[in-house]
Each structure stands twice: as structure tokens, then as C-alpha cells.
Amino acid sequence: MKYLYYPGCSLEGTAREYDRSTRALLAALGVELTALADWTCCGASAAEAASRMLSLVLPARNLALAEAQEPDRDLLVPCSACYLNLKRVEEKVRTAPDLRQRINTVLAEDGLTCKGQTRTRHLLDILSRDVGAAAVARRVVRPLAGMRVAPYYGCQCLRPYPVFDDPEAPRSMEPLITAAGAQVHPWTMGGACCGASHMNTKMDVGLELVAALLAAAQGADAIATVCPMCQMNLEAYQKKALPRAANTAPVTVVYLPQLLGLALGLDQQALGLGLNLALTKSFRQKLQNAPAAA
């Protein structure tokens, strides 16, 4: 399996552990990544507020680069916000000829054209459908026995494009967690919003949403995420959110490829585990006591 790889800005900054663990896990699973050359910011959530056309052209430029570099390869995107932006423009370029022409008029200044050939794929899509839980299970050397994990998808990797899972009742992480030897924490908050950028604009709203997630995750040893924004809100604002939910204890928050990488026996430093902000003592203890596979 071979893919073009678009890390996005967060994975080179606040979410470096997501980038490290994604690369390490996929390499261990025999997946080959080729970096998208000369990639740029997708616009995140800020570009549309400045200019709708800018919010379309920035993702389109990256899709055009992918088409020029490897037209037959899918583009793997770990960041859910980047995935959403790229997927949105991919769909618009394919289905709206007039808009595609306007976008390409701008891209022509950079000698590029976006035809809509490249498929944008979320990391979770590739792990769950291309790699598969069985392939993960075959490579597990330190099963996470006795560990309970709450799968947290967030909003953007499933809405509004339900390509690989049901946004109202997502399940794609569950076979992967089970393959790692852990139990799935039963909850209904997997597709709930974490507050996203409300932490910067309406913090009270964001903290209430995070508090609800942490409360629902009680009894889990960890929350597994696939989105840098979700990870940041659940980690960095956990101390502020906890007092809003009675009898709620701190919860470890890790990226899914970190969790799977640990079960595969990958080095914690290679997985960037030291960069996580919310790792509880009980989680570390269970990780230390995880037995080697028989």
C-alpha cells in the first residue's frame, strides 16, 4: 500500500506526536508514505472568514500538487480539519465546473491545475478499510490487555462526508482497538463535538463540551483521538474543564496511532508519547504492566 502524505500545519507544530506516531505505525504495518512536495496550509478554519475563494484555492493547490506528483495515488491526511477542507474542495472541483474554472484561474498563476483526480483519504479510513484490524492484530507484540479505551472521532472526519463510517454512530475505531488487545469503552459520545475553536472565542461553551466528554469517559483508561483540535481541547483544557463535571477524574488522551503503536511494541519516543499533555499515572502503570504476546 502506497499513499501520498499531507501532514498539514498542526502535525508540524502542536501535534508533532500525531505525525511521528502515524509515520511509525504505518511503516511498521508495511504502508509506504511519500511526502507531498511543496504542500502548504489548507486554510484551516481561518481562511473562509477572510475569503471564500481563498478557502477553496488553498486546498485546491495541494490537490493539484498531488495530481502532478502521483496522479494515481490517494492522498492520506491525518488531520481531520485538513481532511475536511481538502475533501470539500475535491467534491466541488468534481461536481461544479464553473467553480472549478474559477479555482483553476487562480492556480494558473502558480502553473497548476486541479482536475479532481486525487482522492482525499483520512488516516482512520485507511487504517480501518485498507490496512484492517486483522493486519494490526497479526503484528501486536504487547497487547493492551485490561485497558479500556474510548474511541473519539469528533466532527470533521465524518461530517458532512460519511465516506467510511456513520457519523451518528461511528464504529470504525472499535475493531482496531480490539485488535490492539484493549476493550472498547461503551459510550455514545464518539461523534460529539469537543468545542473546536470555541476555546478561543467562547471558552465557556468549549469547556462545557469538553467536560461532558470527560464525564462520559469515566471508567476508560484512555480516550483515543484522530484529530489535533480534539486532542488539544481534551488535553490542554482538561484541568479547566474537570471542575464543571462532578466526580470526574483526569483521563489520558492519546492519538489512535500512538495507541496501536504501543501494542505493536514501537518505541514510546518514536511515537512521541512524551509530547502528550494528559497521561495519567494509572495509564502509565497499565502500559508498563502490559504482557508480551504469547
Side-chain angles (χ1 to χ4, degrees), residues 154-219:
C155 304
Q156 295 178 316
C157 71
L158 301 178
R159 299 182 182 92
Y161 305 107
V163 176
F164 60 92
D165 207 343
D166 179 354
E168 302 308 316
R171 294 288 183 270
S172 53
M173 266 198 242
E174 295 184 8
L176 297 167
I177 291 170
T178 302
Q183 294 177 309
V184 175
H185 176 68
W187 72 341
T188 59
M189 300 290 281
C193 181
C194 71
S197 57
H198 277 325
M199 286 299 188
N200 295 319
T201 56
K202 298 179 180 179
M203 184 173 284
D204 280 345
V205 173
L207 290 174
E208 287 295 328
L209 292 170
V210 168
L213 287 164
L214 296 174
Q218 295 300 292

